[in-house]
C-alpha cells in the first residue's frame, strides 16, 4: 500500500532562519507530488506540485521542493522564513493512472518565532 | 478560480442523529472527495466519486455514506452520528490528477 510519511510533526524555527520539512513516500508506480499549506482557521491551499520534468519546483512565496526518485522524497525548503509562514504543511501524493486519490501525510506544524 | 462550497462552517449534533454535510463545486469537475482531518493524523479519505451516481470507499468509510445525484454536488451522510465522528470535514474536487485538488473551507462537526 502506498503511504506518505512526514518525518517531523512540529518544526520550531526563528524568523529568517532556513527550514526543511521532510516528506517521504512509498509507491511502486509513478506519482504526482504536492505540498499543501493550511494557515490557522483556514482551508488547505496548494503550495507547489511536481508532475514531471525538472525535479526542483518553486512556489511564489519562496518555498521550493525537490523530487528525489531514488530516495522517494519530496522535501520542502525555504532559505529564510517569516512569521507569516507559521502554518501546517501537508505533503501528498497521487498515483498516476489511478482514481486520482490524494493521499496525505500527517502534517508538519511550522512555528516561526521572532 | 474553482470554488468549493461547504454549506456549514460549524455544526453541533447529538449522538444518534442523521447528519448531512453538503459540498458544491462550480467548475464541472468529475472527481469529488470527502476527507476528515484530525490532529496528528492528517487528512484521511472517507469516500470519493469520479462521476454522477458513482462512489468509491476511501480509507475510513465505516459509519459514513455518500450521495452524488448531480455532478456539482457531493453529500456526506453520517447515518447515526457518534462522538468519535467529531472532526473537521473537508470536501475537495479535481478535474484530473495533475491539476491537484481544490478544497472547501471545511465543516467542523461536534457530536455530543
Amino acid at each position: 500500500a502506498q503511504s506518505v510519511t512526514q518525518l517531523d510533526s512540529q518544526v520550531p524555527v526563528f524568523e529568517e532562519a532556513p527550514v526543511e520539512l521532510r516528506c517521504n513516500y512509498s509507491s511502486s508506480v509513478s506519482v504526482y507530488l504536492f505540498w499543501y499549506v493550511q494557515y490557522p482557521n483556514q482551508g488547505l491551499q496548494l503550495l507547489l506540485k511536481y508532475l514531471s520534468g525538472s525535479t526542483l519546483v518553486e512556489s511564489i512565496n519562496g518555498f521550493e521542493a525537490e523530487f528525489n526518485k531514488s530516495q522517494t522524497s519530496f522535501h520542502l525548503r525555504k532559505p529564510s522564513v517569516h512569521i507569516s509562514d507559521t502554518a501546517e504543511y501537508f505533503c501528498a501524493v497521487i498515483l498516476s493512472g489511478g482514481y486520482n486519490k490524494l493521499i496525505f501525510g500527517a502534517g508538519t506544524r511550522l512555528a516561526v518565532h521572532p | 478560480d474553482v470554488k468549493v462550497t461547504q454549506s456549514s462552517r460549524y455544526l453541533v449534533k447529538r449522538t444518534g442523529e442523521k447528519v448531512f454535510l453538503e459540498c458544491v463545486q462550480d467548475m464541472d469537475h468529475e472527481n469529488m472527495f470527502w476527507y476528515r482531518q484530525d490532529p496528528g493524523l492528517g487528512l484521511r479519505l472517507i469516500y470519493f466519486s469520479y462521476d454522477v451516481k458513482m462512489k468509491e470507499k476511501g480509507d475510513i468509510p465505516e459509519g459514513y455514506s455518500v450521495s452524488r445525484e448531480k455532478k456539482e454536488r457531493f453529500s456526506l451522510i453520517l447515518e447515526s452520528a457518534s462522538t468519535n465522528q467529531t472532526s473537521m470535514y473537508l470536501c475537495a474536487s479535481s478535474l484530473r490528477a495533475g491539476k491537484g485538488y481544490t478544497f472547501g473551507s471545511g465543516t467542523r462537526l461536534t457530536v455530543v
Side-chain angles (χ1 to χ4, degrees), chain A residues 36 38 41 49 90 100-102, chain B residues 31 35 37 94 97-98 101:
Chain A
Y36 281 83
Q38 186 177 38
N41 299 313
K49 60 184 177 183
F90 294 94
N100 199 22
K101 289 194 301 181
L102 195 58
Chain B
N31 305 305
Y35 288 85
Q37 181 182 7
S94 77
Y101 288 17

Side-chain angles (χ1 to χ4, degrees), chain A residues 12 19 23 26 28 37 40 42 47 50-51 55 61 65 69 75 88 90 98-99:
Chain A
V19 70
C23 173
S26 63
S28 58
V37 59
Q42 295 188 25
L47 187 60
Y50 170 78
L51 307 181
T55 57
N61 57 354
K69 189 174 182 179
H75 302 331
E88 188 146 23
F90 294 94
Y99 275 131

Side-chain angles (χ1 to χ4, degrees), chain A residues 32 34 36 38 41-46 49 51 88 90 94-96 99-107, chain B residues 9 31 33 35 37 40-43 45 48 50 56 59 90 94-101 103-105:
Chain A
Y32 301 127
F34 303 83
Y36 281 83
Q38 186 177 38
N41 299 313
Q42 295 188 25
L44 270 74
Q45 302 172 35
L46 180 64
K49 60 184 177 183
L51 307 181
E88 188 146 23
F90 294 94
I94 290 177
L95 304 183
S96 60
Y99 275 131
N100 199 22
K101 289 194 301 181
L102 195 58
I103 303 163
F104 284 88
Chain B
R9 189 77 174 96
N31 305 305
F33 307 82
Y35 288 85
Q37 181 182 7
L41 297 177
L43 281 77
L45 182 63
F48 64 102
Y50 52 91
E56 293 285 338
D59 300 318
L90 291 165
S94 77
L95 184 58
R96 51 184 180 270
K99 292 293 185 182
Y101 288 17
F103 282 86
S105 306

